[in-house]
Amino acid sequence: MYEPIFALFCERVKESIQNGTFAKLTLAKTMGDTEIKNIYFRLVLNEDNTFSISLTSRYKTEEIESIHTLDEALLVLGTYIKKPFLTALLFTTDNDVTFKVNKKNAGSIIEQPPTFKNASPVMLEMIEKGIV
């Protein structure tokens, strides 16, 4: 089962935010031709110097944005794994972390050199303001 590996992936997401290395997160590679094409996970700075997560779900004909706490956002992402997304990509300034589920329902995490040299603009602002 992939759930324990996805839980590790979620911990990596939290660590990247705590460490100030978060650049971006997206769900990709759907099973078959689906209405939903991908989901983007972005940091949003609130007026009270806290942060939320914006989840933008891109469908064939529209985009829907919803705002969540970090834990809520990770729970929402979890509901889309295998239904229909097979891959979650976390981009940090340390490395790219890819979570995949195969046909046998096994999860894996692959690390590669970082795509992004800088954390997301909101992450940088959060570091500057001492939020993380």
Side-chain angles (χ1 to χ4, degrees):
M1 298 300 278
Y2 66 85
E3 288 87 352
I5 306 296
F6 185 70
L8 288 175
F9 177 81
C10 290
E11 285 306 311
R12 298 293 296 275
V13 174
K14 291 178 182 181
E15 287 168 14
S16 74
I17 294 169
Q18 290 164 353
N19 298 338
T21 62
F22 179 87
K24 125 182 187 181
L25 173 65
T26 186
L27 294 188
K29 295 195 178 154
T30 58
M31 293 176 64
D33 184 23
T34 59
E35 278 299 309
I36 191 165
K37 291 300 171 194
N38 47 25
I39 298 175
Y40 297 107
F41 176 110
R42 290 182 306 119
L43 296 171
V44 178
L45 196 54
N46 300 321
E47 288 181 18
D48 63 355
N49 281 343
T50 61
F51 73 93
S52 296
I53 305 300
S54 161
L55 292 180
T56 303
S57 303
R58 182 185 288 163
Y59 294 85
K60 284 181 179 176
T61 57
E62 65 180 336
E63 284 188 4
I64 299 172
E65 181 181 21
S66 56
I67 304 294
H68 305 272
T69 67
L70 177 57
D71 287 336
E72 288 170 351
L74 293 171
L75 282 173
V76 170
L77 290 184
T79 65
Y80 286 98
I81 299 299
K82 293 241 2 167
K83 305 173 232 137
F85 295 101
L86 299 176
T87 305
L89 302 157
L90 168 65
F91 298 94
T92 76
T93 57
D94 291 337
N95 50 29
D96 293 353
V97 182
T98 305
F99 167 80
K100 292 183 177 182
V101 181
N102 66 19
K103 290 178 185 169
K104 295 180 181 172
N105 220 24
S108 63
I109 291 178
I110 301 159
E111 291 189 28
Q112 295 176 299
T115 300
F116 294 93
K117 290 182 173 42
N118 298 314
S120 75
V122 174
M123 181 85 262
L124 294 173
E125 192 176 345
M126 287 167 56
I127 294 166
E128 192 178 293
K129 292 185 174 188
I131 296 169
V132 291

